Structure formats: C-alpha cells, structure tokens
Amino acid sequence: MGQFSMEISGCAGSALSGNQHPEVISWRCVTKPVTNESSARKPRHHFIDFAVETAQEALLVDVWRGKPDIITWLPSVASRKGYRYQAIAMCDVDPIRLQNARDLVRYADREVTLGDRIRILAGLDDMGSLSLAECLSAVREGTAMGSVASMILRGLIEVDLDEKLLGPDTIVRRARS
C-alpha cells in the first residue's frame, strides 16, 4: 500500500492546518478504515490519513509516498458520508513543513493545563512574541513540548512551519483570530 503509517499521516493535517491555512477549521487523524459498504463477504477497506473541515467543505485526505493509487470506490463512499476524497503525493508537500508537522503530530493527544496556557499566552501578550525555548520554560504543570505543541495544533499559538526546522529560536506568536 502506498500510504503513510498513521504516525506520518497526521503530519499532512498539520501541514494543512490553520497555522498556515486559515480556511482550515479543523483536522484530525482518521483511525478507522473507510469500507466500500459492499455486501461481499469481505468488503474492501482503506485507511484514510485524515479528515479536514474547511469553511467550504469537508475532505478525507490521503497522503501517498508516490503517485496516489486510484481507488475507484472511495470518492463515492466519501461523498455519501458528506466528504470529498482528496489524494496528495508526499512530493507536493514542502519537506521542511512535512518534518515539522511530523514532529508536532506526535503530541496531538496531549492537553495543556490551564495554568500553563495562561502563562504562555500572558507572556505572548506582554512581549508580542517569544522563542520556542522561552515558551517551553514557561510550562510548570505539564510536559513542556507536549503543552506547547498542543497549543500549536489547537491554533492558540503560531509558528512558521516552512522557514526551517522547529528549534529553540523558532518564533512563537499568539494566533491571529
């Protein structure tokens, strides 16, 4: 199968998330397969990488290593579920963005505590921007990277996913609302 594993697949969601594309309202990894709803004894199924909701539509998105395979039954099943199926080749996503998104998505299930969230947002309100290292040092109650990554993935704060790999000097800003 030409598809990424679930760990990698979510990175495309991050790569297209509201951090860089404000028209994206939400995205999530899809952990259950889409089934072709056939009456066959063994119906076909396919694991979709993630679901994306924009202001205009809902998408089921697949990220493929090479040229996407054509799965003839998938667009119609997606449509019946209220989605449009879209396949993306890995080569169509910027490699820096892809790596940064891969690094962030491992923290997708993390929560940021109220105290840590308030400390980071208050620091950003006071200073305008902070380095990633400064944000990490503001975390007192949760895990540092997990808390900051959670805030990035939830659209509370922003980083540039395209400029360079995330590092201690990466600039963090409050998300534009």
Side-chain angles (χ1 to χ4, degrees):
M1 188 179 285
Q3 174 177 2
F4 279 93
S5 68
M6 282 309 294
E7 176 188 346
I8 296 171
S9 67
C11 69
S14 292
L16 297 173
S17 73
N19 293 335
Q20 299 297 320
H21 295 278
E23 71 274 5
V24 174
I25 296 168
S26 69
W27 66 272
R28 65 180 170 79
C29 293
V30 178
T31 58
K32 295 184 179 189
V34 174
T35 306
N36 72 347
E37 302 172 352
S38 166
S39 60
R41 200 169 89 194
K42 290 181 101 179
R44 293 182 187 167
H45 68 277
H46 181 76
F47 283 91
I48 297 293
D49 292 311
F50 60 95
V52 175
E53 182 184 343
T54 72
Q56 294 80 32
E57 65 183 333
L59 301 163
L60 290 179
V61 181
D62 253 342
V63 179
W64 294 81
R65 289 182 198 269
K67 182 179 176 193
D69 288 347
I70 296 172
I71 303 171
T72 56
W73 56 269
L74 198 49
S76 61
V77 171
S79 180
R80 283 195 297 277
K81 294 179 182 283
Y83 293 91
R84 182 173 64 84
Y85 175 72
Q86 181 177 2
I88 298 174
M90 183 176 87
C91 62
D92 292 336
V93 180
D94 174 47
I96 298 287
R97 177 182 286 231
L98 197 59
Q99 182 60 52
N100 283 333
R102 181 184 293 160
D103 290 341
L104 288 172
V105 80
R106 28 187 124 197
Y107 300 103
D109 63 340
R110 304 291 175 90
E111 294 291 327
V112 61
T113 65
L114 177 60
D116 290 338
R117 185 174 69 232
I118 289 171
R119 267 187 294 285
I120 291 171
L121 293 175
L124 290 169
D125 287 344
D126 287 345
M127 303 300 290
S129 67
L130 296 170
S131 70
L132 184 54
E134 290 169 326
C135 288
L136 294 175
S137 67
V139 175
R140 303 275 184 266
E141 301 168 36
T143 59
M145 194 64 229
S147 296
V148 174
S150 174
M151 291 179 72
I152 293 168
L153 292 170
R154 285 172 176 68
L156 298 172
I157 58 178
E158 294 178 335
V159 295
D160 187 340
L161 295 175
D162 297 323
E163 183 182 343
K164 59 184 177 178
L165 293 177
L166 295 175
D169 59 338
T170 298
I171 299 300
V172 179
R173 290 186 171 78
R174 196 183 245 270
R176 291 164 266 175
S177 32

